[in-house]
């Protein structure tokens, strides 16, 4: 089996993401464009955090075994 590409949107306010820093949350759960529910570590998107939060459309690559490889913002 080969690596999988997941496309999804995120709209997380800075206040909501603050719960990660406070230790109340460490996972993000969302729906990919193909309808699959995905859950991943909030640390994977920390690089996209601004004063407003994390907003945009993202592409995540995972292995056939569901292991995280990379993430990038598409728009």
């Amino acid at each position: 089996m080969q690596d999988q590409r997941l496309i999804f949107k995120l709209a997380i306010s800075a206040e909501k993401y603050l719960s990660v820093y406070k230790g109340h949350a460490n996972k993000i759960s969302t729906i990919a464009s193909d309808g699959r529910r995905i859950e991943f570590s909030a640390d994977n998107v920390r690089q996209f955090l601004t004063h407003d939060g994390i907003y945009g459309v993202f592409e995540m690559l995972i292995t056939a075994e569901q292991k995280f490889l990379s993430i990038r913002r598409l728009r």
Side-chain angles (χ1 to χ4, degrees), residues 6 8 10 12 17 20-21 25-29 38-49 54 58-62 66-73:
L6 302 167
F8 57 93
L10 287 180
I12 304 170
Y17 196 83
V20 172
Y21 288 107
N26 62 356
K27 298 281 186 190
I28 293 174
S29 179
I38 56 174
E39 186 175 281
F40 53 90
S41 171
D43 288 338
N44 291 342
V45 293
R46 183 174 291 171
Q47 63 186 316
F48 304 108
L49 181 62
I54 302 172
F58 298 85
E59 175 188 62
M60 181 182 291
L61 294 178
I62 59 172
Q66 309 294 315
K67 303 287 186 201
F68 175 81
L69 292 173
S70 66
I71 189 169
R72 68 183 179 118
R73 185 191 321 248

Side-chain angles (χ1 to χ4, degrees), residues 12-25:
I12 304 170
S13 69
E15 293 79 24
K16 182 130 178 140
Y17 196 83
L18 185 60
S19 65
V20 172
Y21 288 107
K22 291 182 177 179
H24 300 291

